[in-house]
Amino acid sequence: MGGSMADTVGQSHRQRLVWLSMLAMPLLFPVALPGMASAVGAFCLFIALGLCLGQPVPLPRWLAQRELNGRAVTVLKRAVDRVVGVVARLGRPRMLALSNRPARVANGVMLSLAGLSMMVPVPIISFDNVLPALAIVLISWGLRLRDGLMLLTGHLVTLAALASVALLWWGGARLATEMISRVAQFLPW
């Protein structure tokens, strides 16, 4: 970990995937953190674009040059060490065909779909980011550890996240339409 964001986030996909998973983990709990889902979703799209292109996309200059203070670096290092210790025990290289170079674009697309499903605002519901966050964590660590089982699970969770967001939007639209029609019955027009 360096002093700037560019040094800390790193220039390789493997380093960036660790940070993406670390950012997504707090969203696994159904609590509302305003703006967090959009930021994680945008970073997810950024990394997914790099995966699809085959090379990491440089951070924007304004973000790359941002300095981290010593206390933040210490806290981040401790958190990363703790998470890596736990995840390394769970994952291992297996089903390598899913994490090989030919599957890179498919993994990038699934990661971008997970990021997009996280960025879509779902009104009223506070647990709408749990599935996309889980998908991002599984895909990130699956790619990082070359664990095809984690990747496959992440892809399935991504599909479930997309379906849940679509269902929540459909249900919300139906509810809003029903409420508007009931209120309109009482209006004197």
Side-chain angles (χ1 to χ4, degrees):
M1 274 191 226
S4 71
M5 284 294 285
D7 295 336
T8 302
V9 172
Q11 294 299 320
S12 74
H13 292 304
R14 295 174 63 93
Q15 289 171 300
R16 290 179 176 195
L17 288 166
V18 169
W19 288 111
L20 176 61
S21 69
M22 293 295 291
L23 285 172
M25 282 183 183
L27 296 168
L28 291 172
F29 304 101
V31 293
L33 299 171
M36 179 81 173
S38 297
V40 172
F43 189 57
C44 185
L45 290 174
F46 183 77
I47 291 175
L49 175 65
L51 284 172
C52 289
L53 294 174
Q55 60 186 12
V57 178
L59 290 175
R61 184 174 292 135
W62 62 268
L63 182 59
Q65 294 175 347
R66 190 140 203 199
E67 294 290 324
L68 295 174
N69 66 28
R71 180 166 162 70
V73 170
T74 303
V75 169
L76 289 172
K77 184 170 178 21
R78 194 175 312 136
V80 168
D81 289 344
R82 200 173 302 147
V83 169
V84 168
V86 171
V87 174
R89 281 183 262 148
L90 299 174
R92 63 182 181 278
R94 55 184 158 192
M95 299 169 63
L96 296 176
L98 294 174
S99 63
N100 284 343
R101 202 171 277 272
R104 180 187 67 222
V105 173
N107 289 324
V109 168
M110 292 305 283
L111 191 58
S112 66
L113 290 173
L116 286 172
S117 67
M118 179 171 282
M119 290 176 74
V120 172
V122 178
I124 303 171
I125 309 294
S126 66
F127 59 87
D128 62 321
N129 292 322
V130 174
L131 282 177
L134 180 59
I136 289 170
V137 168
L138 288 169
I139 293 172
S140 295
W141 282 108
L143 287 168
R144 175 67 175 93
L145 299 173
R146 299 206 58 212
D147 189 335
L149 184 59
M150 268 190 202
L151 276 171
L152 186 59
T153 306
H155 291 186
L156 293 173
V157 173
T158 298
L159 296 175
L162 290 169
S164 73
V165 167
L167 185 63
L168 288 170
W169 266 99
W170 175 78
R174 295 278 302 186
L175 179 65
T177 304
E178 184 66 28
M179 289 174 65
I180 290 170
S181 68
R182 289 187 186 238
V183 168
Q185 290 176 353
F186 297 107
L187 295 176
W189 344 322

